[in-house]
Amino acid sequence: MGRMKNCAAIFVFLSLISARALAWGPEGHRIVADIAETQLSPVARREVKKLLGNDDLAAIAVWADEIRGERPETYGWHFVDIPMDASGFSEQRDCFRPDEKHPDTLQDHHNCVVDRINIFQRVLADNSAPRQDRIEALKFLVHFVGDVHQPMHAIGEARGGNDVHVSEFGSTQCGRSPCNLHLAWDTGLIKHAGISEERYVARLNELIASRKLTVQAAGTPAEWVNESFLLAKKIWLNEGGAVDETYFENDIGIVNRRLALAGIRLAREINEALGR
């Protein structure tokens, strides 16, 4: 009976956090990782192989989502709840959010994706850190750089759009759950493009070359989340809105640009940590 209660508690916990903590979905995260892989320096590539063995970056891209059930302290590390009416990110306001329902938040003053990217990049760069800590840091870094570029992970309104019910290409039901704005940006828009992950990566690499996006690889996670926040307000829909063909045509370019920039910037973070 005790084991059944524990399983039930875990199921409830996962059902509460799953939508809020996801970003891009597995496809988007693997796309970001694949783009980063093409941008690694030779030294960084060798160091990644030492840490991961036969795995590539795409193989670890969704690990941070997979371990959420056993690592509840990581729940708030995937996003930043910037208030809709704020001018932008504030570490003091947005990275310490004590919540009695989540005991780990009561002492965590770095409970946001911005701080966690900085923390794990430093761990990865520290050759004196235990190998397992550096492997875990790389796994978190690959995932969180993707997260910070998803606009709905930068805004607190309606739990990052999770509570904004929308129709998605004519349907109000997305799998087992009602469609919502956050879910549309996680997976719906990417899936509606109707191409394989391999072809998606190729298209984004073409975009990177044609738009010379590598020159935008600089910046800080705080600056990246502010970009996402401004975009979230631009693409916002109210309750009952429609993610339809018009919305897709208007905003798929934003999706593609964010995925591309995430890959470029992830490579830069890894190159700086391991390329020396």
Side-chain angles (χ1 to χ4, degrees), residues 20-40:
R20 187 65 184 94
L22 291 174
W24 295 130
E27 298 91 346
H29 278 292
R30 287 193 294 266
I31 287 167
V32 169
D34 280 335
I35 291 169
E37 194 89 39
T38 68
Q39 304 276 334
L40 292 180

Side-chain angles (χ1 to χ4, degrees), residues 24 32 42 46 66 68 89 95 97 109 113 137 143 166 173 178 199 207 220 230 232 235 242 246 250 269 276:
W24 295 130
V32 169
R46 287 196 299 271
E66 294 169 346
R68 286 171 298 135
F89 171 70
C95 295
R97 296 168 286 126
H109 287 258
V113 69
H143 190 86
V166 299
Q173 193 72 16
R199 182 60 189 137
L207 176 70
T220 66
L230 292 176
I235 62 181
T246 300
N250 287 339
E269 292 290 298
R276 289 190 286 273

Side-chain angles (χ1 to χ4, degrees), residues 29-95:
H29 278 292
R30 287 193 294 266
I31 287 167
V32 169
D34 280 335
I35 291 169
E37 194 89 39
T38 68
Q39 304 276 334
L40 292 180
S41 70
V43 174
R45 193 180 304 278
R46 287 196 299 271
E47 293 301 313
V48 167
K49 187 169 181 58
K50 287 180 184 178
L51 292 172
L52 299 183
N54 292 328
D55 284 339
D56 58 13
L57 298 182
I60 63 168
V62 297
W63 173 86
D65 281 337
E66 294 169 346
I67 54 93
R68 286 171 298 135
E70 57 202 77
R71 299 281 298 276
E73 77 277 10
T74 70
Y75 165 64
W77 298 357
H78 292 251
F79 56 90
V80 175
D81 278 341
I82 302 175
M84 177 74 90
D85 60 355
S87 60
F89 171 70
S90 163
E91 183 181 36
Q92 183 177 5
R93 180 194 63 217
D94 300 327
C95 295

Side-chain angles (χ1 to χ4, degrees), residues 10-269:
I10 291 172
F11 175 80
V12 170
F13 174 77
L14 287 175
S15 68
L16 287 172
I17 71 169
S18 58
R20 187 65 184 94
L22 291 174
W24 295 130
E27 298 91 346
H29 278 292
R30 287 193 294 266
I31 287 167
V32 169
D34 280 335
I35 291 169
E37 194 89 39
T38 68
Q39 304 276 334
L40 292 180
S41 70
V43 174
R45 193 180 304 278
R46 287 196 299 271
E47 293 301 313
V48 167
K49 187 169 181 58
K50 287 180 184 178
L51 292 172
L52 299 183
N54 292 328
D55 284 339
D56 58 13
L57 298 182
I60 63 168
V62 297
W63 173 86
D65 281 337
E66 294 169 346
I67 54 93
R68 286 171 298 135
E70 57 202 77
R71 299 281 298 276
E73 77 277 10
T74 70
Y75 165 64
W77 298 357
H78 292 251
F79 56 90
V80 175
D81 278 341
I82 302 175
M84 177 74 90
D85 60 355
S87 60
F89 171 70
S90 163
E91 183 181 36
Q92 183 177 5
R93 180 194 63 217
D94 300 327
C95 295
F96 180 52
R97 296 168 286 126
D99 182 351
E100 295 291 342
K101 295 179 181 178
H102 301 281
D104 294 296
T105 67
L106 301 180
Q107 301 296 327
D108 188 354
H109 287 258
H110 303 287
N111 189 30
C112 69
V113 69
V114 172
D115 280 7
R116 289 294 157 175
I117 289 172
N118 291 327
I119 288 169
F120 289 123
Q121 203 265 2
R122 288 195 297 269
V123 174
L124 180 63
D126 184 359
N127 289 324
S128 65
R131 182 172 183 273
Q132 195 55 44
D133 288 356
R134 297 181 74 212
I135 292 172
E136 183 172 286
L138 177 58
K139 291 178 177 181
F140 276 126
L141 189 65
V142 169
H143 190 86
F144 290 161
V145 173
D147 280 349
V148 81
H149 284 81
Q150 209 274 50
M152 293 299 148
H153 272 234
I155 193 164
E157 187 78 7
R159 294 193 310 125
N162 275 289
D163 293 337
V164 178
H165 298 100
V166 299
S167 62
E168 189 175 306
F169 304 108
S171 176
T172 58
Q173 193 72 16
C174 292
R176 297 180 180 180
S177 305
C179 299
N180 65 68
L181 185 58
H182 189 111
L183 185 62
W185 277 82
D186 275 350
T187 60
L189 295 171
I190 293 174
K191 286 183 177 179
H192 193 68
I195 58 177
S196 68
E197 288 179 27
E198 183 179 8
R199 182 60 189 137
Y200 216 126
V201 171
R203 281 193 182 181
L204 293 185
N205 279 325
E206 292 168 5
L207 176 70
I208 290 167
S210 65
R211 300 290 177 87
K212 297 180 173 57
L213 293 184
T214 52
V215 301
Q216 297 182 38
T220 66
E223 291 170 337
W224 306 339
V225 84
N226 278 330
E227 293 172 356
S228 290
F229 174 61
L230 292 176
L231 288 171
K233 294 199 286 187
K234 178 181 178 181
I235 62 181
W236 192 261
L237 291 175
N238 293 322
E239 178 74 11
V243 176
D244 53 15
E245 290 296 337
T246 300
Y247 188 89
F248 176 83
E249 291 298 328
N250 287 339
D251 294 326
I252 191 61
I254 294 174
V255 173
N256 293 343
R257 187 179 179 86
R258 297 308 285 167
L259 290 171
L261 286 172
I264 293 168
R265 289 164 172 173
L266 172 58
R268 193 201 71 162
E269 292 290 298

